[in-house]
Amino acid sequence: MRALRAAGLIAIVLLAACEPEPEIDHYVLALNWQPAFCEYNTAKPECGTLDEDDFAATNLTLHGLWPNAADGDHPFYCSVTANDRRTDETGDWCALPAPGTDQATQAALTEAMPGSRSCLDRHEWIKHGTCTGLGGDAYFDTSLHLLREVEATELANLLRASIGREVSRRDLLQAWERDFGPGTAKALEIVCRRDGSRGLLTELRLALRRDALDEPLSGSMLFREGPPPHGGCPAQIYIDPAG
């Protein structure tokens, strides 16, 4: 409940942190498929210990929540010092200031955002979260709430049932629309990386109305303007297992 109340501030807080004020018309929730990410990032601390019993082996995990604009002019680094921006852009994320999450939120991120072991949470806060008008704790509570909502969908269940084999892109989109209605897959981008002849699922990106993040996930909170995204996936998508 605390997360939902905090998320509701998005609709009423003036996003004056950036100069000039960002033109935000939607948010993108980016969720990783961690086993595929770790295929190409074996040196990351969160990848060295990933095994089939981990939450991240069978569930989507949090990458970030990004303020966005349909015209492509996305806001970044709002009210951030030049030094912190340089630190972030050089990839020295663990040298960035902590985002101000409380103990419960940080504990939840340890499971739901494995990249927090590489200080991904600090990077996401500095680059994107500072442009939301929320504090760090509310920003991540909102992100975790949305992740849980997606994890309860038929699409997420289909991903779990398809680990170690291919599933069609069409089946994934149809699973999404069975939950949220015809045409709602236009708000969903399925992102793949080519691995020889296969396309590995790496990420899902969901476009959300800027005034609806505190609502239960539904077709009415999805942002569907612009052309349908594709994400570079072939007709058949491989769902990588851990290991």
Side-chain angles (χ1 to χ4, degrees):
M1 184 63 69
R2 176 170 63 92
L4 297 182
R5 287 198 301 269
L9 292 174
I10 291 178
I12 60 173
V13 172
L14 178 65
L15 297 180
C18 294
E19 187 60 46
E21 182 181 335
E23 293 294 331
I24 297 169
D25 52 29
H26 69 287
Y27 283 78
V28 170
L29 177 69
L31 303 176
N32 281 343
W33 187 256
Q34 195 70 12
F37 172 82
C38 287
E39 289 280 355
Y40 304 97
N41 295 275
T42 56
K44 292 276 190 183
E46 63 269 27
C47 293
T49 58
L50 180 68
D51 63 42
E52 61 184 12
D53 296 322
D54 291 343
F55 174 87
T58 57
N59 293 275
L60 293 159
T61 59
L62 180 61
H63 180 173
L65 181 64
W66 307 333
N68 251 341
D71 65 4
D73 187 19
H74 313 316
F76 302 120
Y77 300 113
C78 300
S79 290
V80 170
T81 67
N83 183 62
D84 282 347
R85 178 165 183 166
R86 279 194 301 270
T87 299
D88 184 70
E89 289 177 335
T90 59
D92 190 12
W93 295 345
C94 290
L96 292 167
T101 52
D102 65 22
Q103 236 178 357
T105 301
Q106 198 61 48
L109 287 174
T110 299
E111 177 178 74
M113 189 184 210
S116 62
R117 293 189 60 188
S118 300
C119 301
L120 175 63
D121 54 332
R122 299 185 182 210
H123 161 71
E124 290 296 315
W125 167 248
I126 286 289
K127 187 171 183 180
H128 303 286
T130 55
C131 299
T132 64
L134 294 174
D137 196 56
Y139 170 71
F140 283 108
D141 280 345
T142 301
S143 303
L144 290 164
H145 156 66
L146 292 168
L147 169 63
R148 288 190 290 269
E149 292 282 294
V150 173
E151 278 296 295
T153 64
E154 191 170 332
L155 180 146
N157 290 335
L158 180 56
L159 290 178
R160 285 187 282 269
S162 303
I163 293 172
R165 62 183 180 85
E166 290 185 335
V167 61
S168 76
R169 183 174 182 271
R170 176 180 293 181
D171 283 349
L172 292 173
L173 296 176
Q174 288 179 342
W176 181 262
E177 293 196 345
R178 280 195 294 274
D179 276 332
F180 300 108
T184 56
K186 189 175 180 181
L188 180 68
E189 182 176 10
I190 304 174
V191 182
C192 294
R193 177 167 177 162
R194 287 285 182 173
D195 180 48
S197 61
R198 299 188 305 187
L200 273 60
L201 174 71
T202 58
E203 193 162 86
L204 294 183
R205 296 176 185 169
L206 181 62
L208 303 162
R209 285 180 22 230
R210 61 168 291 174
D211 60 346
L213 299 192
D214 58 334
E215 300 174 10
L217 190 58
S218 67
S220 65
M221 72 179 290
L222 303 177
F223 183 85
R224 292 184 272 170
E225 295 182 20
H230 192 275
C233 290
Q236 295 292 319
I237 300 170
Y238 184 68
I239 310 302
D240 207 21

mmCIF file of all heavy atoms in Angstrom, residues 35 39 50-52 240-243:
data_model
loop_
_atom_site.group_PDB
_atom_site.id
_atom_site.type_symbol
_atom_site.label_atom_id
_atom_site.label_comp_id
_atom_site.label_asym_id
_atom_site.label_seq_id
_atom_site.Cartn_x
_atom_site.Cartn_y
_atom_site.Cartn_z
ATOM 1 N N PRO A 35 19.033 -14.914 -17.285
ATOM 2 C CA PRO A 35 19.931 -15.925 -17.857
ATOM 3 C C PRO A 35 20.539 -15.508 -19.189
ATOM 4 O O PRO A 35 21.722 -15.764 -19.452
ATOM 5 C CB PRO A 35 19.030 -17.156 -18.003
ATOM 6 C CG PRO A 35 18.017 -16.993 -16.908
ATOM 7 C CD PRO A 35 17.733 -15.512 -16.882
ATOM 8 N N GLU A 39 24.582 -14.620 -20.193
ATOM 9 C CA GLU A 39 25.339 -15.285 -21.259
ATOM 10 C C GLU A 39 26.466 -14.385 -21.767
ATOM 11 O O GLU A 39 27.522 -14.861 -22.188
ATOM 12 C CB GLU A 39 24.415 -15.636 -22.428
ATOM 13 C CG GLU A 39 23.439 -16.761 -22.164
ATOM 14 C CD GLU A 39 24.066 -18.139 -22.284
ATOM 15 O OE1 GLU A 39 25.256 -18.244 -22.665
ATOM 16 O OE2 GLU A 39 23.366 -19.117 -21.972
ATOM 17 N N LEU A 50 24.519 -17.057 -10.480
ATOM 18 C CA LEU A 50 23.165 -17.383 -10.928
ATOM 19 C C LEU A 50 23.031 -18.884 -11.163
ATOM 20 O O LEU A 50 23.802 -19.481 -11.916
ATOM 21 C CB LEU A 50 22.840 -16.628 -12.218
ATOM 22 C CG LEU A 50 21.454 -16.871 -12.807
ATOM 23 C CD1 LEU A 50 20.370 -16.293 -11.900
ATOM 24 C CD2 LEU A 50 21.348 -16.278 -14.215
ATOM 25 N N ASP A 51 22.050 -19.512 -10.515
ATOM 26 C CA ASP A 51 21.770 -20.923 -10.794
ATOM 27 C C ASP A 51 20.267 -21.129 -10.929
ATOM 28 O O ASP A 51 19.470 -20.215 -10.725
ATOM 29 C CB ASP A 51 22.382 -21.850 -9.731
ATOM 30 C CG ASP A 51 21.804 -21.638 -8.336
ATOM 31 O OD1 ASP A 51 20.572 -21.474 -8.215
ATOM 32 O OD2 ASP A 51 22.574 -21.637 -7.366
ATOM 33 N N GLU A 52 19.881 -22.337 -11.245
ATOM 34 C CA GLU A 52 18.491 -22.609 -11.630
ATOM 35 C C GLU A 52 17.499 -22.443 -10.495
ATOM 36 O O GLU A 52 16.286 -22.373 -10.720
ATOM 37 C CB GLU A 52 18.378 -24.022 -12.207
ATOM 38 C CG GLU A 52 18.762 -25.117 -11.239
ATOM 39 C CD GLU A 52 18.733 -26.495 -11.879
ATOM 40 O OE1 GLU A 52 18.632 -26.566 -13.114
ATOM 41 O OE2 GLU A 52 18.804 -27.488 -11.133
ATOM 42 N N ASP A 240 16.209 -18.647 -22.501
ATOM 43 C CA ASP A 240 17.463 -19.218 -21.990
ATOM 44 C C ASP A 240 17.318 -19.684 -20.537
ATOM 45 O O ASP A 240 16.789 -18.948 -19.715
ATOM 46 C CB ASP A 240 18.546 -18.142 -22.085
ATOM 47 C CG ASP A 240 19.936 -18.723 -22.230
ATOM 48 O OD1 ASP A 240 20.065 -19.887 -22.652
ATOM 49 O OD2 ASP A 240 20.909 -18.011 -21.918
ATOM 50 N N PRO A 241 17.804 -20.881 -20.223
ATOM 51 C CA PRO A 241 17.852 -21.313 -18.809
ATOM 52 C C PRO A 241 19.120 -20.791 -18.148
ATOM 53 O O PRO A 241 20.078 -20.380 -18.827
ATOM 54 C CB PRO A 241 17.874 -22.828 -18.922
ATOM 55 C CG PRO A 241 18.592 -23.089 -20.220
ATOM 56 C CD PRO A 241 18.229 -21.946 -21.133
ATOM 57 N N ALA A 242 19.144 -20.798 -16.835
ATOM 58 C CA ALA A 242 20.362 -20.423 -16.113
ATOM 59 C C ALA A 242 21.426 -21.481 -16.316
ATOM 60 O O ALA A 242 21.133 -22.665 -16.484
ATOM 61 C CB ALA A 242 20.054 -20.272 -14.630
ATOM 62 N N GLY A 243 22.688 -21.032 -16.302
ATOM 63 C CA GLY A 243 23.798 -21.977 -16.396
ATOM 64 C C GLY A 243 24.330 -22.138 -17.795
ATOM 65 O O GLY A 243 23.810 -21.644 -18.761
#
